[in-house]
Structures are given as C-alpha cells and as structure tokens.
Amino acid sequence: MTLPQRTALFSFVLPVILISITYYLSWQGGHVELCNPFIDGCEAITATGVYYPAAYVFRGLMVAFVSFALWWYCAAAWLNSINSAGIKSWVRHLVIIAMGASVLGVASISVMGENMVPPKEHREIWRFHSITAILFFLITSLCQILMALRMHQLRDQLDYPRWSVPVKVVLATAQLLTLITLIVLVVTDRETSEIVQIVEWWLAAFICVFFLTGFWDWKNFRLTRLERLSPSEKHQEANV
C-alpha cells in the first residue's frame, strides 16, 4: 500500500470512526438523540462533540483535517506526474485553496468542548466555529467538484480504475445539487435547522467518500522515489 493510498484510506476511516464514537458517547451521556441524522436531521455533527468525554475524541478530527490537506497534495502530485508540462495553474490554486479549507477545519474543531456551554454566553466561540465549519464544507465541496471535472477531462491519460472518475462525478453532482437545494431554501426562507443538519451530514459523507476513491486511483502512484515497493507488490510486478 502506497503512502497516497494510506492517506486516502485514513481520510475516510478516521472521521467515520471518530464521529461514530462521539455520537455514541454523547448519546450515552444524554446529550443527543439516538436517530438517523441523515434522514431526520435531529442532531448536528457539532452536537456530538460538545460535552466531555466525547469532546476529547471529537478533537481527533484535527488529525483527519491534516490528512485531508495531504490528500490534496497527493492529488496535485499525481496529476503533475502524468504531464511533463505540469498541472494547470488553476488546479494548483485549487489545491492551495482546498488545503486552506482543511486549516479552517482544524480551527473549527480546536474550540470545541464544554467551554461553549451555555451557547448564549459564548456566542463568539459558536460564531467562530460555525463560520469556519461552513467555509470548510463549502470550499471543500466546490474544490472536489472542480477536481472531478478536471479528472474527467484527463480520464484518457490517468492510470486509475475506469469506474473511479464516474464515481467522483456522481459524488460531485450530488454535492452540487445538495448545495443548490440549500441555497434555494435559504433564499426562499424555507430552511429549517433539521434541513441544514441533514445537508451537513450528507456533505460530510460525500466529502469523505470522495477522498476514499483515491485509494484505488493511487495504487501505482508513489509520492516520492524513496517510497519502495512492498515484497508482495514486487512479487506481483515480477509476474506481470
């Protein structure tokens, strides 16, 4: 397994595990309802990480955001490796912006904890968390949409499973439709906290699955020349 593959896998597995644990701990503590937030919108992702001990686990997501940033670096290096002229400038800027969004995610998580309770007395902390979290979701979703578009343009040049780019396009389309739906509801003043929370959960899921697709894309891609083949991979290449 290559370093880029580990990054893609880690970017999916870690958030799923941490959110599951924090949800369970918060439910056990009586702070959230036990439901399906993807359908009911009964709880926000943030609600699972306010109270201790769940808040301690929730802060582990800062590591996941670092992994997201590394994923974008791997994606840029991968695209650059297939073209001697290098990647387009707008793609390079896209990657930098996406990595900046990951930094916003770290900032959003860093203030989480019981120091936010009660909300009325800590509005500045909640405002900071909300703004940075919204910017992370919005920027990352838009960057993934544009990255899917670029990979679709290069589909005949990339070394990847043929199903990978169509899956990315589907995920990007789902993110775009979700964002458009939310914008329409906000403009028409029909959004509710439940709808916003449902959107938040689904966007988080789409983002993580998008990152996971890199696991199959980067099977033969190595980030550095120092990254060696494992014995099993050497054996497989010898038999080709």
Side-chain angles (χ1 to χ4, degrees):
M1 188 185 300
T2 66
L3 177 59
Q5 278 188 300
R6 291 189 180 95
T7 300
L9 186 61
F10 192 74
S11 296
F12 173 79
V13 172
L14 184 62
V16 171
I17 291 177
L18 291 180
I19 292 297
S20 298
I21 292 174
T22 56
Y23 201 118
Y24 174 78
L25 292 175
S26 294
W27 170 65
Q28 284 289 311
H31 305 300
V32 299
E33 299 178 26
L34 184 60
C35 64
N36 185 344
F38 290 94
I39 298 175
D40 300 328
C42 54
E43 300 292 349
I45 295 177
T46 298
T48 69
V50 174
Y51 296 93
Y52 299 118
Y56 292 121
V57 179
F58 196 82
R59 287 177 182 173
L61 285 173
M62 288 191 286
V63 180
F65 285 116
V66 174
S67 182
F68 296 165
L70 180 57
W71 188 97
W72 286 106
Y73 178 82
C74 291
W78 180 49
L79 293 178
N80 190 59
S81 68
I82 66 171
N83 190 344
S84 59
I87 60 176
K88 291 183 176 293
S89 60
W90 73 266
V91 177
R92 187 177 297 107
H93 294 150
L94 172 73
V95 169
I96 293 173
I97 292 171
M99 294 175 73
S102 298
V103 174
L104 290 175
V106 172
S108 178
I109 299 298
S110 66
V111 299
M112 293 293 296
E114 291 187 1
N115 54 289
M116 304 174 76
V117 181
K120 291 183 179 180
E121 296 180 8
H122 301 87
R123 292 177 181 174
E124 293 302 320
I125 296 178
W126 278 99
R127 186 176 293 111
F128 176 83
H129 165 75
S130 298
I131 291 174
T132 50
I134 290 171
L135 287 175
F136 164 76
F137 280 115
L138 179 61
I139 294 173
T140 301
S141 292
L142 292 176
C143 287
Q144 287 187 345
I145 291 169
L146 293 174
M147 181 59 73
L149 174 63
R150 182 54 181 161
M151 289 182 179
H152 179 70
Q153 293 173 342
L154 298 174
R155 60 190 180 280
D156 296 329
Q157 303 177 40
L158 299 175
D159 178 20
Y160 67 99
R162 290 303 173 185
W163 55 263
S164 180
V165 168
V167 168
K168 287 186 178 66
V169 172
V170 170
L171 289 169
T173 302
Q175 292 184 65
L176 181 59
L177 292 176
T178 302
L179 290 173
I180 291 175
T181 301
L182 180 61
I183 291 172
V184 170
L185 290 173
V186 170
V187 171
T188 58
D189 197 26
R190 295 182 180 178
E191 89 286 359
T192 64
S193 60
E194 290 79 9
I195 291 177
V196 173
Q197 286 161 188
I198 289 173
V199 169
E200 180 184 32
W201 282 96
W202 278 108
L203 279 181
F206 293 145
I207 287 171
C208 288
V209 175
F210 191 101
F211 286 142
L212 179 62
T213 60
F215 178 81
W216 293 276
D217 293 343
W218 299 333
K219 181 178 180 181
N220 300 315
F221 171 63
R222 279 156 180 79
L223 195 58
T224 69
R225 294 181 179 179
L226 297 177
E227 193 176 352
R228 303 298 181 184
L229 292 173
S230 67
S232 61
E233 290 172 329
K234 289 180 180 179
H235 180 69
Q236 290 176 2
E237 287 201 351
N239 293 332
V240 174

